[in-house]
Amino acid sequence: MKYSKNIEDYLEAIYVLSEDKGFTRVKDIAKFLNVKLPSVTEILKKLQEGGLVEHSPYGEVKLTEKGIYLGKEVWDKHKIIYSFLKNFINVKDEVAFKEACLVEHSLSKETIEKLKEFIKSLKK
């Protein structure tokens, strides 16, 4: 199933913020994505209905197995694109991070795999 850019951004943010503790909080997601708390709460309801997160009001936000898989997939795409932009064509760090976030939603798995192979070949 294809998810919107907005949903993918939230899954990625929750995945990244949860890497250390296994959960995050609404305020951390809002800060990470630079959005207001009510916006986070609204999207969390949709993610919960879709079986992607577990969340109770004022409690921890945890990804389900499906949510972890999708969040990791988006984050991995981001890292590959970011690496290419920053390390191989010398885009400034902040710009590379921001633009990787924009592009990650548009590229297919096939293209990401080819980009990954290309980066590996350049490293050799």
Side-chain angles (χ1 to χ4, degrees):
M1 178 177 211
K2 182 79 173 138
Y3 292 95
S4 70
K5 175 193 178 307
N6 196 33
I7 294 293
E8 286 186 350
D9 282 342
Y10 274 86
L11 290 171
E12 177 184 26
I14 296 166
Y15 178 81
V16 169
L17 293 168
S18 299
E19 281 187 306
D20 290 337
K21 298 182 275 185
F23 69 91
T24 189
R25 301 219 178 259
V26 172
K27 66 179 181 175
D28 298 324
I29 299 166
K31 183 177 178 184
F32 188 88
L33 294 172
N34 196 29
V35 296
K36 296 185 190 282
L37 293 173
S39 298
V40 176
T41 303
E42 183 181 325
I43 294 294
L44 286 177
K45 286 178 188 173
K46 291 179 183 177
L47 293 174
Q48 198 165 14
E49 288 168 6
L52 300 169
V53 300
E54 296 172 357
H55 173 251
S56 57
Y58 307 104
E60 300 170 347
V61 178
K62 294 181 182 181
L63 291 168
T64 62
E65 262 187 61
K66 183 178 179 183
I68 291 169
Y69 175 81
L70 294 170
K72 181 180 182 330
E73 184 176 60
V74 178
W75 180 234
D76 287 347
K77 281 184 179 183
H78 183 106
K79 291 187 300 186
I80 291 163
I81 298 163
Y82 169 77
S83 173
F84 177 74
L85 294 173
K86 183 174 185 286
N87 300 322
F88 295 98
I89 59 174
N90 299 317
V91 175
K92 290 180 187 171
D93 187 63
E94 186 177 307
V95 174
F97 192 86
K98 186 184 244 181
E99 291 183 354
C101 191
L102 295 171
V103 175
E104 70 196 15
H105 307 287
S106 304
L107 298 179
S108 68
K109 285 182 182 182
E110 180 184 354
T111 301
I112 291 294
E113 285 304 313
K114 295 291 184 187
L115 186 55
K116 196 185 313 184
E117 289 172 20
F118 180 70
I119 290 171
K120 282 182 186 176
S121 72
L122 289 177
K123 287 182 178 178
K124 290 179 182 177

